Amino acid sequence: MTVSDVALDPYNYDFHEDPYPYYKRLRDEAPLYRNEELGFWALSRHKDVLAGFRNSVTLSNKFGVSLDPASRGPHAAKTMSFLAMDDPDHLRLRTLVSKGFTPRRIRELEPRVTEIALKHLDTMVEMAASGETVDYVDEFAGKLPMDVISELMGVPDADRVRVRAWADGVMHRDEGVTDVPKEAIEASINLIVYYQEMVAERRRKPSDDLTTALLEAEIDGDRLTDDEVLGFMFLMVIAGNETTTKLLANAAFWGYKNPDQIAPLYDDASRIPLWVEETLRYDTSSQILARTVQGELTFYDTVIPDGDVLLLLPGSAHRDERAFENPDDFVIGRDIGAKLQSFGSGAHFCLGAHLARMEARVALDELFKRIRGYDVDETNSVRVHSSNVRGFAHLPMTLQIR
């Protein structure tokens, strides 16, 4: 292990504003990094992060994938479902969930995703038509993903604003807070109680939604328990909602910063998926994922002891010049292929990758049908402060309507 004075603190606000200079130093000076104070190791190079994702034997998920102490521990699976499990438990639960959460269900959802996107876009465009500054996150990027999840699960329209507010509350962190605050715990309890009532209701009266499909999923007589269904619903709120909101805002921000790259997209929607992919590479929502060492692991001639926490940094991996040419340039259409790690890799590859990509494509496509340009008010943009996701809490902009 090389010695370097570079410091990685996932709770530091300066790091949240721009982590990429920190990552570069880590890759160059300390590819295996140790933070004694916060008690973790970190891998930052593309090949090492990929090896970490693919090693689900020595690197365990069962204590959770977040650095926040309250989220870590044997209870992690209660709110993070199979993401916080190892095989065989992980495989059993994932296989059962996959019976309900199918590619076909996602495909059939697309017309409804378009309708939900249009509803929020119409409101935003109407506000912007008078020259008013609109908050892209408040009006659009922050509403669409949670409404799509609610649509999938069968949450009634009337409850969606409330459910969305709880979901936001689960994720928010104030400066200097290195654990889950009591407001987030309260929001989590509210969500779980709401979903418990929903599950009980579907047991009595099945419906044509994912909640019912999960309750009915069965393999050789094995079914999901109510708690397992709840855990997956909660995972969708955390993993599926938050990251897609960030993806939509990051795409808009970097598009604005690179106008030459998005100019052709106003007339050629076929390139929008490439915009989504480059955003996932250039500034991924999911920056840091934790694993727990089981047994012994060696990187760079250093043994990482059993039980230690190892952070995998996909945000850094995507800017590694060992894997990508000119990685700090935002280039729509570059060759990314299988090198993308935004959805992980290996056994825990994100089950919602299709859904996130479809939502982002639909959202950006519909937005670009309505506008011919936009400006971001960078001075008043506000970043999210989180130890593992990256994006905007507020992204004020003015739109040039078609």
Side-chain angles (χ1 to χ4, degrees):
M1 184 176 63
T2 47
V3 176
S4 164
D5 63 351
V6 60
L8 172 69
D9 177 358
Y11 299 102
N12 179 306
Y13 270 32
D14 184 58
F15 173 74
H16 296 165
E17 289 300 323
D18 186 5
Y20 296 105
Y22 291 88
Y23 290 154
K24 175 149 184 49
R25 287 195 59 195
L26 284 177
R27 290 192 304 271
D28 292 346
E29 299 170 26
L32 174 64
Y33 169 80
R34 174 69 180 158
N35 185 315
E36 287 293 348
E37 194 186 339
L38 291 171
F40 68 79
W41 302 81
L43 290 172
S44 50
R45 288 184 183 171
H46 188 278
K47 70 175 174 63
D48 298 333
V49 176
L50 188 61
F53 277 131
R54 291 187 173 169
N55 179 356
S56 52
V57 178
T58 319
L59 289 176
S60 166
N61 281 47
K62 72 179 174 196
F63 297 104
V65 296
S66 165
L67 189 60
D68 298 348
S71 304
R72 294 193 60 71
H75 62 282
K78 281 194 171 62
T79 51
M80 295 301 276
S81 187
F82 53 75
L83 185 55
M85 289 180 185
D86 297 330
D87 289 339
D89 299 341
H90 158 260
L91 185 62
R92 171 196 163 258
L93 196 54
R94 188 183 174 108
T95 310
L96 276 165
V97 162
S98 299
K99 302 230 20 124
F101 193 70
T102 58
R104 181 181 164 188
R105 187 178 287 278
I106 302 308
R107 267 198 314 279
E108 289 172 353
L109 188 67
E110 187 167 329
R112 271 299 287 143
V113 172
T114 307
E115 279 175 40
I116 296 167
L118 290 180
K119 183 182 83 176
H120 294 312
L121 270 175
D122 288 346
T123 308
M124 184 170 81
V125 166
E126 203 175 302
M127 290 166 68
S130 59
E132 193 183 326
T133 297
V134 291
D135 188 333
Y136 173 83
V137 175
D138 273 356
E139 298 303 329
F140 185 49
K143 288 182 171 173
L144 177 70
M146 192 60 216
D147 283 359
V148 169
I149 287 167
S150 289
E151 177 75 26
L152 249 179
M153 290 179 181
V155 173
D157 270 348
D159 293 348
R160 288 185 188 175
V161 172
R162 194 166 39 132
V163 169
R164 201 185 319 129
W166 287 331
D168 289 344
V170 171
M171 297 307 289
H172 181 75
R173 298 290 180 274
D174 287 324
E175 183 159 19
V177 175
T178 57
D179 206 346
V180 181
K182 73 172 195 310
E183 293 80 6
I185 292 169
E186 229 165 86
S188 303
I189 292 167
N190 285 329
L191 260 184
I192 285 171
V193 168
Y194 180 86
Y195 286 147
Q196 273 172 335
E197 288 166 4
M198 213 169 111
V199 167
E201 169 69 16
R202 291 302 183 280
R203 285 244 184 250
R204 287 193 299 275
K205 208 166 92 188
S207 173
D208 181 27
D209 54 31
L210 179 60
T211 307
T212 304
L214 292 171
L215 290 170
E216 291 174 351
E218 184 222 331
I219 298 170
D220 300 335
D222 184 19
R223 287 174 180 261
L224 296 165
T225 65
D226 283 11
D227 278 352
E228 287 169 342
V229 171
L230 273 173
F232 179 68
M233 290 166 86
F234 203 83
L235 174 66
M236 289 279 288
V237 169
I238 295 174
N241 162 40
E242 184 72 4
T243 48
T244 310
T245 288
K246 304 301 172 274
L247 166 59
L248 288 173
N250 289 345
F253 181 76
W254 293 113
Y256 162 73
K257 296 290 276 181
N258 296 273
D260 59 312
Q261 291 293 313
I262 59 162
L265 276 54
Y266 289 100
D267 303 308
D268 181 6
S270 70
R271 290 183 63 78
I272 283 178
L274 298 174
W275 179 16
V276 174
E277 291 306 294
E278 178 63 347
T279 305
L280 286 166
R281 180 202 71 85
Y282 188 78
D283 199 16
T284 186
S285 320
S286 199
Q287 293 268 323
I288 297 177
L289 289 143
R291 297 288 189 266
T292 306
V293 176
Q294 284 201 134
E296 257 184 22
L297 189 63
T298 302
F299 271 98
Y300 298 97
D301 301 326
T302 305
V303 174
I304 306 172
D306 181 68
D308 276 17
V309 175
L310 176 70
L311 301 186
L312 304 175
L313 311 178
S316 171
H318 290 152
R319 295 288 192 100
D320 187 353
E321 57 284 352
R322 296 159 192 83
F324 297 99
E325 216 173 299
N326 303 322
D328 294 325
D329 295 345
F330 187 80
V331 182
I332 292 173
R334 73 156 71 229
D335 179 25
I336 300 171
K339 288 186 285 193
L340 193 74
Q341 298 183 32
S342 298
F343 300 109
S345 189
H348 284 276
F349 182 80
C350 174
L351 204 55
H354 281 320
L355 178 61
R357 283 179 163 126
M358 181 265 279
E359 273 182 73
R361 171 176 54 77
V362 168
L364 296 169
D365 187 10
E366 294 301 337
L367 173 69
F368 268 39
K369 281 179 186 168
R370 280 167 178 64
I371 65 171
R372 53 170 197 276
Y374 63 99
D375 286 297
V376 170
D377 175 1
E378 287 188 65
T379 312
N380 291 302
S381 300
V382 180
R383 285 211 164 270
V384 164
H385 295 292
S386 155
S387 60
N388 52 346
V389 296
R390 176 166 161 79
F392 291 91
H394 299 288
L395 196 64
M397 55 171 69
T398 48
L399 309 177
Q400 289 99 55
I401 312 297
R402 282 190 194 255

